[in-house]
């Protein structure tokens, strides 16, 4: 075929493919336009999963009659003029592509009236060409109807999923905008049925109840600064803060799930940057890292987090769908997210409580139980937080032992009553009976002691009377090569001896009572497996933390070991000193509470 310049229509159809991938993309662009137009209420109606119809009605500024055609021209926008404007974009749209793209591949009708006009406009476009125009009575605002999407793009039609799937995409999208803009009244009607609505009362928590249901919402913790919620200017859904709003700082706020509430996938981690829903693997990872050692392996938290920073520090022009951004100071944003979430988790996470699967107790809310719960203060929270830093950030975080500040909540005072099944310590506390898993609790203690040692704190290293030769398998020797230095910092002095044999000269004191040979080889075996029993982020963890998590298993008191009362008391005293006494480093609980309230209920008292 000879080279030819494509007709405008074909060029538009091709370009539209970048912006409009599926019906949900249409909904997204129209919602964004409504928000940019200052809407306080947006009504979305879809039919046939959005293929047959997407209609979005808003009460925003409307489009002046003489600009209506222009709105559908490619690269036509009221939001940006020069390339410099891109550095301080405070609207969701700026590319001037969405309406042109939608119009190229569907039948579009717009009905609109601007504030200053008495009569509105109705315009009908088919495959990008104006088919009809007439004056129209319309309340202030804009209603755009998109019918027969992809009618002239057979290639795209083939890739569309079932109506149900497209409906789900649209539902997810609408609920996300509802969470990002709690002050916006959003409603979604699907094939004549109202499937979602938000009240627009400004409370993100109320939106969470609408989206996830009361029970899950109650299992979420508020994080971050309340003050940041003051972002929206002039009471409407102003998309993005202005530059001076957040000069040089990163604000993070929202809700995250308690460690006992989790999901099988990451899809419930929702992130907004300056009011824009984005997909960002790095920030998603930051959220997950904040749950480091608090979640079971392969489980993921729920989170709805709003990040706000000066628009100058965000490049929004990365992708035609505007769902990715680039940060000028990526690490700063990453750390702000991780720290905010971690602080909330460490400070507020409860001891799991025994309760029946159903019945009134199970329905009791988080706040009711708050008094029962145990947390640690900000100093320790920060310490725990520093364990985990972004992968590839160079500087590896270190645990800094810190004395808890005055007046902090600690573990309750526990009185040891005895041991059960040579596995659990039975203790009495102010709220009831605690069962403490001796192995998990000891793991937590040793884990933090090992990391404290690496951070330069005093932890006793035990020199062996005589260097102990240990013969390694080739795989173990290989693994040792990469871990020699972290092991040494932890207190394991290991030297090459010849062949695959090494000499162990010292061990961390916390491991001195175990078989050194066995401890070293099993640590190396486990490290060699790569994926250890840590949460799924394990591979990317700070290597020191990973080593400690593997090593603490070896040193910890096993289940099946009889403990004297003073040993149990000592263990609980040590557990109290840790930053996260409620979970072991692998995410399992160290203790459960059988509260008096529960007992009374069970006994019918
Ligand atoms: P962009 O949003 O990037 O500017 P669009 O193609 O989405 O590009 O929209 C083009 C223009 O049409 C916008 O800049 C805006 O001026 C106008 N517009 C679109 N939708 C609306 C709406 N719902 N209310 C008011 N004006 C709108
Ligand atoms: Mg737009």
């Amino acid at each position: 075929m000879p080279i030819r310049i494509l007709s405008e229509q074909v060029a538009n159809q091709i370009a539209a493919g970048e912006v409009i991938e599926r019906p949900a993309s249409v909904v997204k662009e129209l919602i964004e336009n409504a928000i940019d137009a200052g809407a306080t209420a947006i009504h979305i109606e879809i039919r046939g999963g959005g293929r047959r119809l997407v209609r979005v009605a808003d009460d925003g500024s409307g489009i002046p009659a003489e600009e209506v055609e222009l709105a559908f021209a490619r690269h036509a926008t009221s939001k940006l003029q020069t390339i410099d404007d891109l550095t301080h974009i405070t609207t969701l749209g700026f590319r001037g592509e969405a309406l042109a793209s939608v119009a190229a591949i569907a039948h579009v009708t717009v009905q609109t009236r601007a504030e200053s006009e008495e009569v509105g406009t109705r315009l009908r476009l088919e495959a990008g060409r104006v088919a009809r125009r007439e004056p129209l009575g319309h309340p202030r605002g804009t209603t755009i109807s998109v019918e027969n999407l992809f009618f002239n793009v057979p290639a795209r039609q083939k890739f569309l999923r079932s109506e149900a799937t497209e409906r789900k995409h649209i539902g997810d999208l609408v609920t996300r905008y509802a969470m990002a803009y709690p002050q916006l009244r959003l409603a979604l009607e699907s094939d004549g049925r109202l499937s979602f609505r938000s009240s627009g009362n400004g409370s993100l928590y109320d939106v969470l109840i609408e989206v996830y249901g009361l029970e899950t919402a109650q299992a979420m913790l508020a994080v971050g600064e309340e003050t940041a919620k003051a972002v929206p200017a002039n009471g409407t859904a102003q998309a993005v803060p202005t530059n001076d709003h957040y000069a040089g700082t990163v604000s993070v706020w929202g809700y995250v799930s308690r460690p006992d509430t989790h999901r099988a996938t990451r899809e419930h981690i929702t992130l907004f940057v300056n009011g824009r829903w984005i997909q960002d693997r790095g920030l998603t990872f930051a959220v997950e890292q904040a749950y480091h050692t608090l979640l079971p392996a392969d489980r993921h938290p729920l989170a709805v987090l709003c990040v706000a920073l000066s628009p100058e520090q965000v490049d929004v022009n990365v992708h035609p769908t505007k769902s990715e951004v680039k940060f000028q100071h990526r690490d700063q944003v990453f750390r702000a997210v991780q720290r905010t979430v971690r602080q909330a988790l460490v400070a507020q996470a409860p001891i799991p409580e025994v309760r029946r699967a159903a019945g009134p107790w199970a329905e009791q809310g988080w706040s009711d139980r708050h008094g029962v719960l145990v947390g640690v203060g900000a100093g320790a929270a920060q310490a725990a937080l520093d364990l985990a830093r972004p992968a590839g950030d160079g500087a590896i975080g270190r645990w800094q032992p810190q004395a808890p500040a005055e007046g902090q909540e600690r573990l309750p005072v526990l009185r040891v009553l005895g041991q059960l099944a040579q596995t659990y310590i039975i203790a009495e506390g102010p709220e009831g009976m605690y069962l403490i898993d001796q192995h998990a609790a000891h793991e937590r203690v040793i884990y933090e002691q090992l990391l404290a040692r690496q951070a330069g704190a005093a932890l006793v290293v035990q020199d062996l009377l005589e260097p102990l030769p240990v013969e390694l398998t080739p795989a173990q020797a290989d693994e040792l090569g990469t871990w020699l230095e972290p092991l040494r910092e932890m207190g394991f002095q290991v030297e090459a001896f010849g062949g695959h044999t090494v000499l162990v000269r010292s061990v961390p004191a916390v491991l001195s009572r175990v078989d050194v040979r066995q401890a070293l080889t099993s640590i190396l075996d486990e490290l060699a497996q790569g994926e250890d029993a840590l949460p799924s982020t394990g591979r990317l963890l700070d290597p020191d933390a990973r080593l400690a998590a593997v090593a603490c298993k070896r040193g910890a008191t096993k289940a099946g070991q009889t403990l004297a009362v003073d040993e149990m008391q000592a263990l609980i005293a040590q557990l109290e000193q840790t930053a996260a006494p409620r979970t072991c480093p692998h995410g399992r609980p160290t203790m459960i509470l059988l509260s008096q309230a529960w007992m009374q209920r069970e006994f019918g008292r």
Side-chain angles (χ1 to χ4, degrees):
M1 243 199 295
I3 300 176
R4 261 185 244 128
I5 295 198
L6 293 175
S7 77
E8 194 186 321
Q9 191 184 354
V10 175
N12 280 347
Q13 278 171 267
I14 289 175
E18 284 182 15
V19 186
I20 308 299
E21 199 187 333
R22 58 187 343 146
S25 326
V26 176
V27 179
K28 172 176 187 286
E29 294 298 336
L30 297 183
I31 292 179
E32 287 190 352
N33 281 346
I35 292 173
D36 284 344
T40 63
I42 304 177
H43 188 97
I44 301 134
E45 191 185 331
I46 60 169
R47 290 193 182 274
R51 281 281 296 288
R52 270 201 292 135
L53 172 74
V54 170
R55 175 176 294 145
V56 175
D58 69 56
D59 62 353
S61 63
I63 308 175
E66 73 273 17
E67 291 183 4
V68 179
E69 278 87 352
L70 204 52
F72 288 88
R74 188 158 293 277
H75 310 304
T77 178
S78 55
K79 303 169 192 174
L80 170 143
Q81 269 188 332
T82 70
I83 193 70
D84 286 344
D85 293 342
L86 253 188
T87 60
H88 44 81
I89 278 293
T90 59
T91 49
L92 294 170
F94 54 86
R95 299 174 62 95
E97 282 188 319
L99 291 187
S101 296
V102 174
I105 53 175
H107 298 140
V108 176
T109 308
V110 54
Q111 299 167 287
T112 185
R113 184 176 67 82
E115 178 88 74
S116 57
E117 295 176 318
E118 265 163 35
V119 188
T121 311
R122 181 177 187 278
L123 187 73
R124 165 95 176 166
L125 296 101
E126 284 168 11
R129 295 205 185 82
V130 175
R132 215 162 124 191
R133 181 192 226 279
E134 62 207 0
L136 167 91
H138 193 270
R140 192 196 82 163
T142 305
T143 304
I144 295 186
S145 310
V146 177
E147 290 162 285
N148 311 320
L149 183 65
F150 299 127
F151 79 97
N152 55 357
V153 194
R156 190 51 62 90
Q157 282 174 26
K158 271 192 283 188
F159 286 96
L160 286 184
R161 308 280 163 205
S162 70
E163 268 187 27
T165 305
E166 299 303 335
R167 233 187 351 255
K168 179 178 180 312
H169 279 283
I170 292 171
D172 286 351
L173 181 99
V174 171
T175 56
R176 288 192 152 115
Y177 277 91
M179 294 189 284
Y181 295 90
Q183 67 281 28
L184 199 61
R185 256 184 307 133
L186 268 172
L188 173 62
E189 193 185 314
S190 179
D191 296 313
R193 242 193 64 245
L194 184 70
S195 72
F196 175 82
R197 65 177 305 161
S198 64
S199 73
N201 70 0
S203 157
L204 172 54
Y205 188 75
D206 287 353
V207 182
L208 287 182
I209 295 174
E210 293 295 336
V211 175
Y212 288 115
L214 182 62
E215 205 176 315
T216 303
Q218 283 178 336
M220 306 282 276
L221 303 170
V223 302
E225 310 149 43
E226 287 284 317
T227 51
K229 290 177 188 166
V231 176
N234 58 44
T236 62
Q238 164 80 37
V240 181
T242 50
N243 280 326
D244 45 344
H245 220 106
Y246 288 108
T249 64
V250 180
S251 293
V252 181
W253 73 97
Y255 285 84
V256 298
S257 53
R258 269 163 26 196
D260 60 358
T261 300
H262 33 70
R263 295 287 188 266
T265 67
R266 292 187 183 87
E267 70 177 304
H268 298 286
I269 298 176
T270 301
L271 299 164
F272 305 102
V273 171
N274 289 349
R276 189 184 297 282
W277 173 39
I278 58 145
Q279 269 134 332
D280 186 300
R281 289 180 55 194
L283 288 190
T284 302
F285 180 62
V287 176
E288 297 219 83
Q289 267 210 334
Y291 283 80
H292 170 50
T293 79
L294 298 176
L295 283 187
D298 291 327
R299 301 294 293 180
H300 306 276
L302 294 97
V304 179
L305 288 174
C306 305
V307 178
L309 70 169
S310 161
E312 276 169 1
Q313 296 184 12
V314 191
D315 183 357
V316 291
N317 187 29
V318 179
H319 193 268
T321 62
K322 301 165 285 175
S323 59
E324 286 170 37
V325 295
K326 276 201 162 65
F327 297 105
Q328 195 184 348
H329 304 292
R330 199 175 164 68
D331 291 352
Q332 192 195 352
V333 180
F334 187 106
R335 269 193 291 275
V337 167
Q338 193 204 40
R339 182 164 294 148
T340 307
V341 177
R342 183 73 183 180
Q343 273 167 356
L345 289 174
V346 175
Q348 302 181 55
I351 294 174
E353 232 179 291
V354 170
R355 46 184 161 137
R356 291 197 299 201
W361 181 245
E363 283 156 27
Q364 232 178 317
W366 154 252
S367 55
D368 296 348
R369 276 181 269 137
H370 201 111
V372 186
L373 308 173
V374 180
V376 293
Q382 187 53 51
L385 172 70
D386 284 340
L387 283 177
R389 285 276 188 79
D393 152 300
I396 283 171
R398 286 300 164 84
W399 191 77
Q400 298 294 332
Q402 254 174 304
E406 289 291 308
Q408 280 176 359
E409 266 191 291
R410 307 287 312 174
L411 278 185
V413 177
L414 296 174
R415 186 169 70 89
V416 173
L417 299 177
Q419 196 185 16
L420 176 71
Q422 293 173 309
T423 303
Y424 306 106
I425 299 167
I426 308 169
E428 180 186 8
E431 305 296 334
M433 187 172 99
Y434 293 78
L435 278 181
I436 299 153
D437 181 322
Q438 64 193 43
H439 178 66
H442 202 197
E443 277 186 338
R444 166 56 68 186
V445 169
I446 295 181
Y447 173 76
E448 295 200 7
Q449 285 178 347
L450 288 173
L451 283 171
R453 155 79 194 170
Q454 288 163 329
L459 178 86
V460 187
V461 174
Q462 179 84 51
D463 287 325
L464 302 184
L465 284 179
E466 276 183 39
L468 178 76
V470 178
E471 203 181 320
L472 302 177
T473 65
Q476 288 164 351
D478 204 40
E479 198 62 27
L480 180 67
T482 43
W483 291 95
L484 215 46
E485 188 53 24
L487 277 167
R488 199 188 56 70
E489 281 181 32
M490 207 174 76
F492 258 112
Q493 189 89 38
V494 184
E495 291 167 11
F497 188 59
H500 290 144
T501 305
V502 294
L503 279 186
V504 182
R505 292 192 180 275
S506 71
V507 296
V510 288
L511 296 183
S512 64
R513 280 185 301 172
V514 302
D515 181 324
V516 172
R517 198 172 270 127
Q518 237 233 303
L520 181 64
T521 52
S522 55
I523 288 170
L524 291 172
D525 281 344
E526 194 164 333
L527 290 170
Q529 283 170 19
E531 292 291 315
D532 41 56
L534 288 173
S536 51
T537 50
R539 193 205 296 273
L540 296 159
L541 276 180
D542 164 5
D544 289 347
R546 203 176 136 212
L547 176 59
V550 170
C552 71
K553 286 188 200 173
R554 307 299 147 208
T557 307
K558 297 271 177 295
Q561 201 166 318
T562 308
L563 297 179
V565 171
D566 59 346
E567 288 176 302
M568 294 190 273
Q569 283 167 342
L571 177 55
I572 289 172
Q574 288 177 318
L575 187 63
E576 274 175 2
Q577 299 301 316
T578 62
R582 306 153 330 281
T583 57
C584 85
H586 316 99
R588 288 185 299 276
T590 55
M591 58 180 67
I592 56 176
L593 164 63
L594 289 80
S595 74
Q596 293 213 37
W598 177 77
M599 289 185 224
Q600 275 171 5
R601 212 174 302 252
E602 291 296 296
F603 283 113
R605 287 174 72 101

